[in-house]
Amino acid sequence: MTVRSRIIGCGSYLPSTILTNEELSRRVDTTDEWIVARTGIRQRHIAAEGEMTSDLAYNAAIKAMEHANVTAADVDMIIVATATPDNTFPATATKVQNRLGVVGFAFDIQAVCSGFIYALTTADMYIRNGQAKTVLVIGAETFSRILDWEDRSTCVLFGDGAGAVIVQAHEGVGTINDQGILASRLHSDGSKYELLHVDGGPSSTQTVGHLRMEGREVFRHAVTNLAAVIREVLDDTGITADQIDWLVPHQANQRILDGTARKFGISAERVVMTVDRHANTSAASIPLALSEAVHDGRIKRGDIVILEAMGGGFTWGASLVRW
Ligand code: ACO
C-alpha cells in the first residue's frame, strides 16, 4: 500500500471589483491593444478597501470544503501560499484557521508565484509521512497592494484572488494508475533574486515596498525552467507528454503559457487559461484555474493534470496529478 494525496475538492474567490485595460489606460500610459498583445490580459479583479488576503482565502476555503464535503473538524492542517500576507506576522493561515474553527496547525508558505506548487508539495509530504490526513491548501493574494500604480511595465500584469483545494490521504497501490499527486519537483535559484522582487520589507526598509521586475529576463527564464520541470515530473512517472489531459499553468502571461504548451505538443484546448480575466494572481492563479476547470466539467476523475509555476526568487516547480 502507498499513501497518496488526493485532491478531493476545490473552490475559488474573486473580489467583485473588475478593473479593465480600458480603465487602466486612463491611469497610466498604456493601451488595451498593448496589454492584450503582450500578455493576453483583458481585466483583473481588485480587492475592496479593507478586504484582505485572509478574507479572500477564507471565502475560497469555504467553497473548497463544501465541494469536498468536509467540515472544519475534518481538516488537520492549513497552508496558505501568499506573498501578500495581512500582516508581517502572524501567518495569514492562522487567521483563516480561527475563522474556520479548525483545530490543528496552520502556516504560510512564501514562494511568490510558485507558492501553490510549494504548498501542495508540502501538504503531500505531511500526508505521506502520516503527519496529516486532510489538508486545506490555499493560494491567496492581494497584489494590488504592492504594485506601483505609476509603473506601466508592472501594474498592468497583476490581480487579486484566491483558490483553495482539499488534499486528503488515500490508500493507493503505488502505480501511476493511483489517483492523487504522482510526482512533484521544486527548484529555486537565489542568484536571480533581483530580477523579480519587492523593494521593501520589515528587515530591509521597514516599509512594504513595491514590485519591481525585469520583464524580459523573467520571460526568458520562465519558458526554459518550466519546460525543464515539466520534463522532470514526466520522467519521474514514465508518463509521456501525449498522455497529459490538462495543463494548468500559473497564469503569468499568455505567451509564456503558449510557449510552454507548444514545447510538449499540448494543444490550446488542453491548457486551462484564465489570465485574460484574472491577470497574474501569483500563488492564487493555479487553484483559481483548477477550480474553474473542475467545476465546469473539463477536468474529470482519472485525467492526468500537470500544474506548474515560476516566480520570484526565482522559484519554480511542477506537480503531476491523476485527478
Ligand atoms: N503599455 C505600453 N507600453 C509599455 C507598457 C505598457 N503597459 N509596459 C512597457 N511598455 C513599453 C516599454 O516602455 C518599452 O518601450 P520602449 O521600447 O520605448 O523602451 C516597450 O513597451 C517594450 O518593453 P519591454 O519590457 O521590452 O516589453 P516586452 O515585450 O518584454 O513585454 C512584459 C513586457 C509583458 C512584461 C514581458 O516581458 C513579460 O511578460 N515578461 C514576463 C513577466 C511576467 O510574466 N512576470 C510575472 C511574474 S513572474 C511569473 O509569474 C512567471
Side-chain angles (χ1 to χ4, degrees), residues 21 30 90 99 125 165 178 207 215 229 262 269:
N21 292 349
T30 190
R99 274 183 80 179
M125 295 302 152
V165 297
D178 287 346
T207 62
V229 78
R262 220 173 12 246
E269 310 83 69

Side-chain angles (χ1 to χ4, degrees), residues 3-309:
V3 178
R4 294 287 192 191
S5 306
R6 277 179 56 194
I7 302 176
I8 60 163
C10 48
S12 64
Y13 175 80
L14 289 159
S16 58
T17 301
I18 290 174
L19 179 62
T20 64
N21 292 349
E22 204 60 58
E23 289 167 281
L24 249 185
S25 67
R26 281 183 242 128
R27 290 199 201 175
V28 285
D29 183 16
T30 190
T31 60
D32 178 49
E33 294 71 34
W34 192 96
I35 302 171
V36 172
R38 302 285 174 128
T39 71
I41 296 166
R42 295 181 183 277
Q43 62 172 48
R44 69 284 295 140
H45 290 251
I46 304 289
E49 207 183 324
E51 192 175 35
M52 287 184 273
T53 295
S54 64
D55 298 315
L56 276 50
Y58 171 79
N59 285 311
I62 290 285
K63 294 207 185 112
M65 288 164 66
E66 279 169 10
H67 184 227
N69 202 19
V70 298
T71 66
D74 300 315
V75 175
D76 44 27
M77 172 177 171
I78 301 174
I79 310 177
V80 174
T82 187
T84 47
D86 289 10
N87 292 83
T88 303
F89 80 82
T92 298
T94 59
K95 220 179 198 181
V96 175
Q97 174 190 19
N98 185 47
R99 274 183 80 179
L100 291 172
V102 166
V103 179
F105 61 107
F107 58 91
D108 289 358
I109 276 188
Q110 162 44 309
V112 207
C113 299
S114 314
F116 184 76
I117 300 290
Y118 271 64
L120 190 65
T121 304
T122 304
D124 183 34
M125 295 302 152
Y126 274 85
I127 285 174
R128 289 202 284 142
N129 282 329
Q131 298 278 310
K133 280 208 158 42
T134 304
V135 185
L136 168 59
V137 181
I138 308 171
E141 303 278 16
T142 47
F143 258 52
S144 62
R145 306 268 158 75
I146 55 163
L147 296 175
D148 175 352
W149 287 99
E150 288 174 5
D151 175 11
R152 66 177 182 173
S153 71
T154 53
C155 76
V156 303
L157 301 174
F158 297 90
D160 300 336
V165 297
I166 301 289
V167 191
Q168 197 167 59
H170 280 265
E171 281 187 358
V173 293
T175 71
I176 57 163
N177 294 321
D178 287 346
Q179 282 184 342
I181 300 170
L182 299 179
S184 290
R185 289 283 188 136
L186 303 178
H187 294 277
S188 64
D189 175 4
S191 71
K192 307 292 187 297
Y193 194 95
E194 298 294 331
L195 295 179
L196 175 50
H197 71 286
V198 167
D199 62 5
S203 186
S204 55
T205 59
Q206 300 81 57
T207 62
V208 171
H210 290 118
L211 184 147
R212 306 293 173 205
M213 181 174 70
E214 302 287 334
R216 286 219 163 174
E217 279 300 295
V218 174
F219 193 99
R220 199 167 63 78
H221 284 93
V223 177
T224 311
N225 290 343
L226 290 171
V229 78
I230 291 172
R231 174 54 55 205
E232 283 179 344
V233 291
L234 288 173
D235 289 348
D236 286 345
T237 53
I239 288 170
T240 52
D242 60 337
Q243 292 176 287
I244 300 170
D245 293 300
W246 297 101
L247 182 65
V248 186
H250 165 51
Q251 309 282 318
N253 179 317
Q254 174 135 23
R255 290 187 298 151
I256 297 177
L257 274 61
D258 291 345
T260 308
R262 220 173 12 246
K263 282 202 173 188
F264 291 93
I266 302 169
S267 63
E269 310 83 69
R270 293 277 163 195
V271 181
V272 179
M273 193 85 77
T274 55
V275 69
D276 54 331
R277 287 159 291 128
H278 301 171
N280 181 346
T281 55
S282 186
S285 90
I286 291 176
L288 270 163
L290 189 61
S291 192
E292 186 170 290
V294 168
H295 285 282
D296 69 18
R298 274 179 287 172
I299 296 179
K300 295 186 178 61
R301 283 282 162 218
D303 283 354
I304 291 291
V305 182
I306 290 202
L307 316 174
E308 46 89 335

